[in-house]
Amino acid sequence: MDSQERSSEEAEGAKERGLVYVWKAGSCSVTPERLPGLSGKTVLQAALGIHHGLLLTEGGEVYSFGKLPWRSRPEECANSPILENTLLGHRIITVAAGSFHNGAVTESGVVYMWGDNSAGQCAVANEPCVPEPQLVSICDSETSPLLSVRILQLACGEEHTLALSLSREIWAWGSGCQLGLITTTFPVTKPQKVEHLAGRVVLQIACGAYHSLALVQCLPVQEMKPIPERCNHCSQPLITMTDKEDHVIISDSHCCPLGVALSDNQPENHVFCPSSDTPGDKSGTAGQSEDFQKPLVEQHRLVGLESEGPSGLSSSDGREDSGISSSGNTLFSDKKEVKEYLIGLSDSSLNESLNKNICTEPEQPSQEEQLSACIPGPPGSSTSTLNSLVASCASAVGVRVAATYEAGALSLKKVMNFYGTSSSEPGAQSGSRSPGPEALKDSREEQVRLESMQGKKSSSLVDIREEESEGGSRRLSLPGLLSQVSPRLLRKVGRAKMRTVALTPTYSGEADALLPSLRTEVWSWGKGKEGQLGHGDVLPRLQPLCVKSLDGKEVIHLSAGSHHSLALTAKSQVYSWGSNISGQLGHLNSPTTVPRLAKVCGDGIWTTAAGLDYSLFLADEKDFQPGLYYCGQEKSTENNLNENSCTKCPVLLVACSKIGYISNVIAGGDNCLALVDKNVMGYIASLHELAATERRFYFKLSEIKSQVLRPLLGLDNLGNANTIQLLQEMASRFSKLCYLIGQHGASLSSFLHGVKEARSLAILKHSSLFLDSYTEYCTSVTNFLVMGGFMLLAKPAIDFLSKNQELLQKLSEKNEENLQLVEVLNALFFMPFGRLHNYARTLLKLATCFEVASPEYQKLQDSSSCYENLAVHLSRKMKEAEYTLGFWKTFPGKMTDSLRKPERRLICESSNRGLSLQHAGRFSVNWFILFNDALVHAQFSTHHIFPLSTLWVEALSEEAGNVNGLKITTPEEQFVLVSSTPQEKTKWLRAISQAVDQALRGTSDMILYGAGGNVPRQEPPISRSAKYTFYKDPRFKDAVYDGRWLSGKPHGRGILKWADGRMYSGTFRTGLEDGYGEYRVPNKALNKEDHYVGYWKEGKMCGHGVYSYATGEVYEGCFQDNMRHGHGLLRSGKLTSSSPSMFIGQWIMDKKSGYGVFDDITRGEKYMGMWQDDLCQGNGVVVTQFGLYYEGAFSSNKMMGTGILLSEDDTVYEGEFSDNWTLSGKGTLTLPNGDYIEGLFSGEWGSGIKITGTYFKPSLYENEKDKPKALRKLGILAVSPDEKWKAVFEECWNQLGCESPGQGDRWKAWDNIAVALTTNRRQHKDSPELLSRSHTQTLESLEFIPQHIGAFTLEKYENIKKYLIKACDTPLHPLGKLVETLVAVYRMTYVGVGANRRLLQEAVREIKSYLKRIFQLVRFLFPDLPEEGSTIPFLTTEPKGRRSFCSGKSDSRSESPEPGYVVTSFGLLLPVLLPRLYPPLFMLYALDNEREEDIYWECVLRLNKQTDMALLSFLGVQAKFWPGTVTTFTPADKLKVIQQTFEEISQSVLETLQEDFLWSMDDLFPVFLYVVLRARIRNLGSEVHLIEDLMDPYLQHGEQGIMFTTLKACYYQIQHEKLT
């Protein structure tokens, strides 16, 4: 029973629920009586034993009645129920009764047991009986720490108990093989898991006296794997084929006759069973067999151990380990041993049957494979075949196998198969499923008669053929098994297979999780003497085995009587098997060892109960009131003869129909019990009606599926592939709906057993499942209809349909004469939709049983209208489909084929001449058809389709003379439609607008469940997302665009893909790429693609971007009109490739033009100069990695004209050049020592030069100034610094909105900055990881523009400085971008080969030029910033008291011309620029001063070896040291550091002397010299020169200037210090 939640109060009649009626079993004329003493308690569940019963009430209390011999005062027989006090306080959710013991489960999943315990069935050791409920601990030993297992359900037999856990596994305790445990020691008092079903989802358990049943969910269908051809036990083919004249029947319903026999007393029945289980005594109830088995087992062990210790046998935990190690050691060294061993076995028949099992027919390769399957499947694989040898006596099977040992050529593999395999199932596989995954096509359809000849020959214990009536013949095509069949047959079989595929229901996983599954298998184990296991034999089974013949029967509930079993299916049928002595199976067919249909006259059975020797069936009667049927023992007491007869078929117990609505029946030994509800306010009746009609509905749908749909799918020539696909889709949706209804029927049955709360009805709780399934089915069936599917079906199906006329009429409920076949089919497949009205009606009926204000009423009312709305909506859909079908019938044929689509529906068309094209020719025919996805304009023979998602419609205004005009806009066309009347115009405008709107919304929200339909908005949006393929636009032809639109043009974000593989993804504006986007162009030759990421304007690349070429080149910079234009960087090749190089500079129309730097990495040369048309042209400088330096004129990539060439050793040539490094013409060559040659030179530098000229040796005492004249001239022939990087600055001015530097509107410039910042920020919002938090804060603070009102003060100056520092911190700001680019080009120029000391002056000049030009920009943005060199007056006087060094008086800045702060580009911008340029610049200084530095450093090291006293011999003061190296960047900062040093020295001296002290230069210099020495600054020279070059001019004469001069003097002094 399901544990349902209980509500405190339900509808008013709560007291009339759960009434208990009891009567004596064994007769058809009974009078049920109320069980006394329950005083109005609602009983939810009951359980009966042989002489007693248990009741569970709504409050979770348990009562016992009947004979209770285990109680402390057993003599009393409790006629009225007694409360089990021990269980008070535990809320019990389910109870179970065995023959003489009981169990209960609490809400928290804890089990209590009491009653007879003689076989350990109460899980208590060594106590024959348990008087009071006692807690049973169930722990999973596999988990550490031990977890207690929560239980859902209990089942009790005579000597055993089973429990089903929350994780859907079975736990067992008690005695007997019916436990399914791998053990021989009974009783089992500690609950153990039934390992064989571990990993499977068990849905329900039931116990007979000595057998157990489990309802298990099927495993998901596995892919096809090769399957063995023969059964591992009885060697019969698993698949049989019978070739009839016109078809092949392939049956896979082989049912193995061999079980695991537990010995009876005939000795020949013994079994030798080496499986993975403990090879000890397998048989729980073995008689003498044990003596016989022991020696065998021992021998078996010996054999195993001889070969290879541990691997001989696998462990005994029921897991599947491979029994034989893969090393290939066989267990027997040769065949002779096996033979002798077999002969040694005691019994000849056993020997024979062993032989029979090993020596099957001569081998074929396929068999080889099958036999090599001794490596078992994965643990827990579903129905793994018992690979180990299971032999049963040959005489019983009746097949004497004549094949002798020699004939079989016993293969090593077979021996391995014989001994080594392990398996977790010592029960024969009664069907085609080999170990788990290798299961053949899911054999869940109707079972097939056994057509195999072998099957007929082997007169096994029973005839296993099923009744014809039950199983229709099933066809399968099995690849690889049909080699002997004619190709014609093969084709036919293959075709049938293809068709039936659609009908394996497409189960929805969601529905399976929420509703009871119908994909179930029945497993049984225990004693089978009466056939109660259903395997077709009377052998016991030690472990669960699947009852194959119930596969695919959709069993939903199992009941077990003492020696018989019942299975209830979703179709409300009952299969029964087992003992039929009293007719308890409800049919008289024999044998009863396999499930057969019970013949109950009722309408549909929905509950069964199996007792000692009888069965009860609860079925629906005409008025939906359940009728109770009985079959079994009939005790007649007439003539005092006390004869016993049995019922021929189930009999209706009339008396039981009068007591009320029976919700459940329970069968036990003596008594039967019924739980009854009174029908208060019609609530119960409505529930029963809902359940009964749903079950009937399912039966009907199943009939349609199997009797109509499946045969239809199997027909040949069903038309084209398209129709077949639609039919299959319809079939699969039908199956899905059918499956859902089946599940719902089953869930309603269990709902009626429970508390019956309206709010837990599935159609309320999971309404979306139903609504969706119906909607999906409606879509597929209307699509099929529109395509004329039913008319097409009628032709090929005419035979089939005419044969089954009656069936069809019965199913479709149409009784008129001479109906058209098409109409019958229509009626059949549209029938399910009527059910929605029934749901709505029933829910309304239920709602009336509640108060109007109650939430239940509201919920039922809402759901009812939901179903009603859907019914209306779907009927509208069907009408649309029929209207469309009618239209296609009249439409000219040629166009129909191209326009007719399954989803397409007609909305309206202009055949009434209501709409015409403006300015159409006199004789042209224009027909407009509006579908739900397109507007079609049809002419004589052509038509054009305009998809609605990209169609805009507007009414034209009247005054323009366009009376009744509609303007239609599509991406590539615009036309005007003129309608004949204003009404027509309004009709079309509305129809088109609604259709467009619907098309844009898609079908997802076709209907708002619960709301009264949706009111379509009149105007579809102008801006929308849609997909479109261009067909004539010259640039976009055949391209597909997917993205945003605005009035017929792509606008916003979108993706455009061309047919040739090009793709653009980014923003569009009025139909063209505009904004930021990514563009890819495949390069067929290189099999790579060009890739551009950047900005676009009006369909062309424009602005900044990165273009990666397929060749490996990468260009990063500006574009205009798809060309490289402006400043850009081009990288060619990787460092490893043939010619890596780098160019950074100006481009014009895709060519290098203007100033640029080219780094040829292979040749180790760098060119910095002017370009034109991709060639070096004009002035330039070249440096090489070998130290050569050239500056001068270039012409078409060559050094040509006047130039200067310096080599590393200071040799200088000035003069004419004709080619690279080639001297030609007049010139002067100056040697490092000052000698020079004048004359004509020719030849390449470094490889011999011809000279015609004069050699001069200047006298040593001539003027020194002449010597380095060439070096002084450097830079004259280079490009002037202000000419460099013009494009970079122009780009910045353009960004600010100025045509040329300084020309433009300042406020517009600020607007542009704001726009740039916000758009960039928005762009980065998509990828926030690019922006750090500090970066985001910087951006936010930049959005405030510094304000200037009134006089310009120092404070404002500081604000501007702060703003600039922030602006230069982010590349999203135009100034920041400029600085970033300048830093990049500067580093590109002066790093690598460019780190040449000759370039120092050039580098310094370049920085000064940057400062000048940036200052111009800053003054444009902040016009009140004074010019270069002017001062800002101080407003506040400096705080007094700071002493000046050189004059003792207070500092009044007397050196400056006037007090104030001097504004310079250096002071304002160097703090921003220099830190970024410092590394390359300082490197150049270091290289330039290398020699001086080395001399200086040598002296520092020498002097530092002296002691302090020696150095300070003239000053006995411990002075402060210089603070480390200089870590600041700008000269102003460095000067401040020097100043601080002076102050610190001064401080320490003052402290020592304790008096005012005035430094004079003579005193100061030695102290400072000492400090500098001790500070050991490595590159002091470079620092000094850098400060000197970049010092603010106005500081040179100030205090800091004097200090700097002192430092410089120190540097030179140290170099020339002579230390004696």
Side-chain angles (χ1 to χ4, degrees), residues 146 250 288 433 542 569-570 880 1180 1207-1208 1412 1440 1615:
L146 289 181
I250 298 171
Q288 40 179 296
R433 300 184 87 207
L542 296 154
T569 70
E880 280 172 18
S1207 74
E1208 181 63 18
K1412 191 172 84 188
K1440 294 270 181 284
Q1615 279 182 58

Side-chain angles (χ1 to χ4, degrees), residues 391-433:
S392 95
C393 70
S395 55
V397 177
V399 184
R400 291 265 173 201
V401 179
T404 55
Y405 162 91
E406 284 78 16
L410 176 63
S411 75
L412 189 137
K413 278 184 181 161
K414 288 185 182 171
V415 176
M416 289 176 76
N417 204 17
F418 174 24
Y419 281 106
T421 50
S422 66
S423 151
S424 56
E425 180 184 359
Q429 178 62 15
S430 65
S432 68
R433 300 184 87 207

Side-chain angles (χ1 to χ4, degrees), residues 1262-1273:
E1262 220 179 88
N1263 201 342
E1264 273 291 302
K1265 278 181 186 154
D1266 296 347
K1267 188 182 167 198
K1269 65 178 182 187
L1271 292 177
R1272 272 209 316 282
K1273 277 187 196 162

Side-chain angles (χ1 to χ4, degrees), residues 597-748:
L597 268 181
K599 299 178 173 46
V600 183
C601 344
D603 200 13
I605 306 168
W606 57 276
T607 299
T608 58
L612 189 62
D613 50 6
Y614 60 90
S615 307
L616 295 171
F617 306 103
L618 200 51
D620 296 315
E621 293 300 302
K622 292 290 169 282
D623 52 356
F624 307 120
Q625 182 162 350
L628 186 55
Y629 288 81
Y630 169 88
C631 62
Q633 197 70 26
E634 263 283 26
K635 297 196 176 82
S636 57
T637 46
E638 293 157 32
N639 312 341
N640 306 329
L641 283 175
N642 219 8
E643 293 171 10
N644 282 3
S645 64
C646 57
T647 53
K648 296 283 182 291
C649 65
V651 181
L652 178 63
L653 302 179
V654 185
C656 294
S657 306
K658 299 185 176 131
I659 55 179
Y661 282 77
I662 301 177
S663 66
N664 207 350
V665 287
I666 294 91
D670 304 343
N671 292 319
C672 307
L673 181 148
L675 294 179
V676 177
D677 300 315
K678 291 275 185 273
N679 184 19
V680 180
M681 294 186 66
Y683 180 75
I684 297 292
S686 304
L687 287 177
H688 278 278
E689 178 183 356
L690 177 64
T693 49
E694 192 73 338
R695 290 189 291 260
R696 283 179 204 170
F697 182 49
Y698 177 60
F699 188 78
K700 185 156 202 176
L701 291 184
S702 301
E703 288 294 287
I704 295 178
K705 188 172 116 180
S706 57
Q707 311 270 345
V708 182
L709 205 45
R710 186 169 280 129
L712 284 181
L713 281 169
L715 290 171
D716 290 340
N717 52 27
L718 281 178
N720 55 10
N722 230 344
T723 321
I724 293 180
Q725 193 185 344
L726 283 173
L727 177 62
Q728 292 198 344
E729 183 167 318
M730 180 177 87
S732 82
R733 297 269 173 87
F734 185 88
S735 295
K736 190 172 169 184
L737 178 65
C738 179
Y739 185 75
L740 177 71
I741 300 299
Q743 286 184 297
H744 185 219
S747 93
L748 282 169

Side-chain angles (χ1 to χ4, degrees), residues 156 233 414 417 630 795 809 862 950 1043 1086 1125 1137 1180 1207 1508 1613:
C156 302
H233 311 296
K414 288 185 182 171
N417 204 17
Y630 169 88
K795 288 194 195 81
Q809 287 199 348
D862 291 350
T950 51
L1086 293 172
H1125 188 90
S1137 66
S1207 74
D1508 284 350
Q1613 178 69 38

